[in-house]
Amino acid sequence: LKKLPYKTIYLEFPDIAPVLQKANVPPITKQDGTLGYTCPSIVDDTTGTAISDSFKIAEYLDTQYPETPKAFPLGSIALQAVFYARFSEMTLSLVPLIVTKTPGILNPVSAEYFHCEIRPLILEVMSLDEEREQLWRKAESVFDWLDGLYSMSGGPFFMGEAPSFADFVLGGVLEEMKILGDWDKITVLNGGRWKRLVMDLEKYASTEK
Ligand SMILES: N[C@@H](CCC(=O)N[C@@H](CS)C(=O)NCC(=O)O)C(=O)O
């Protein structure tokens, strides 16, 4: 979006904490209250600033590079914070659809970490055994809620004509579902809105430059 130059470093799950610690990225407080290291994180070589958490990263880049297109268009940051919080709650029902397929696309070292470290944490808060049919009915109601919001915006994006943080949050989840195989079901929901959104976001999706 901002056309700032950057380089992406991909990390296997067990390398996230040691690599980010070494890069002086401050840890974030996870949902269970413990500190941890997560992707995405950035190190801005121009200022020496290291930041974790997508919302904070977007906030930082908007402030540090005010001449670039805004992740939070003027006056929208509170609205987007509320959207993000509600989105995170609502999309909990998509988690079983995604995480049951996640190990299959990871390299062995990350699949093992996922199995030993992440899956048990997920199992503490939800069952992964629910019937897919049932899970899909819940997923559809999440997309119906999003469709209601997007249909008020007057354009293809959450804020109307220009993409912003909210679209990138949703776009990330849609890309994930595209890779993990339930994409056919999503493309036919809500008049094809989600397929069009992913296409409209495609030009921002590359992590190569
Ligand atoms: N609130 C964070 C969440 C980031 C997050 O949970 N990232 C996951 C990958 S999708 C992660 O790095 N997990 C590492 C771990 O749990 O050890 C954000 O929006 O950036």
Side-chain angles (χ1 to χ4, degrees):
L1 176 73
K2 295 178 177 293
K3 299 198 167 68
L4 294 167
Y6 67 92
K7 180 177 154 207
T8 304
I9 298 173
Y10 293 97
L11 299 172
E12 296 293 346
F13 269 121
D15 299 331
I16 295 176
V19 170
L20 296 188
Q21 213 164 2
K22 202 165 164 222
N24 293 320
V25 176
I28 65 166
T29 307
K30 297 206 275 194
Q31 263 167 2
D32 65 359
T34 60
L35 292 179
Y37 293 89
T38 52
C39 295
S41 293
I42 63 161
V43 177
D44 182 350
D45 294 329
T46 314
T47 59
T49 309
I51 302 194
S52 201
D53 188 74
S54 46
F55 195 95
K56 289 197 188 120
I57 293 170
E59 217 179 346
Y60 166 80
L61 294 174
D62 274 358
T63 309
Q64 188 63 35
Y65 301 100
E67 70 289 358
T68 60
K70 295 260 179 284
F72 301 113
L74 197 62
S76 78
I77 191 162
L79 167 71
Q80 301 223 18
V82 173
F83 170 80
Y84 189 32
R86 186 83 183 112
F87 180 87
S88 305
E89 278 168 28
M90 293 288 280
T91 50
L92 276 181
S93 63
L94 303 182
V95 170
L97 286 171
I98 294 173
V99 298
T100 44
K101 293 192 170 185
T102 305
I105 59 156
L106 297 175
N107 289 324
V109 64
S110 285
E112 192 190 330
Y113 182 94
F114 186 86
H115 193 75
C116 301
E117 305 288 337
I118 298 179
R119 198 165 180 278
L121 296 179
I122 296 170
L123 288 175
E124 272 176 28
V125 286
M126 66 177 69
S127 158
L128 296 178
D129 293 333
E130 216 174 320
E131 289 291 322
R132 275 189 103 72
E133 202 53 37
Q134 172 79 8
L135 287 168
W136 259 105
R137 272 198 293 279
K138 285 191 195 164
E140 271 179 37
S141 69
V142 175
F143 285 107
D144 287 345
W145 167 69
L146 288 164
D147 186 57
L149 296 179
Y150 270 72
S151 61
M152 286 186 252
S153 81
F157 300 113
F158 182 73
M159 296 295 294
E161 292 307 321
S164 65
F165 181 78
D167 302 293
F168 297 131
V169 167
L170 174 54
V173 171
L174 291 172
E175 282 290 343
E176 203 170 4
M177 298 192 89
K178 203 168 154 186
I179 293 165
L180 294 172
D182 288 309
W183 188 232
D184 288 353
K185 292 201 176 102
I186 295 172
T187 52
V188 296
L189 296 179
N190 308 122
R193 185 189 290 284
W194 313 120
K195 190 178 177 178
R196 286 196 300 279
L197 181 65
V198 165
M199 277 161 55
D200 290 338
L201 292 174
E202 199 63 50
K203 63 172 180 261
Y204 310 103
S206 167
T207 52
E208 298 309 322
K209 58 181 173 159

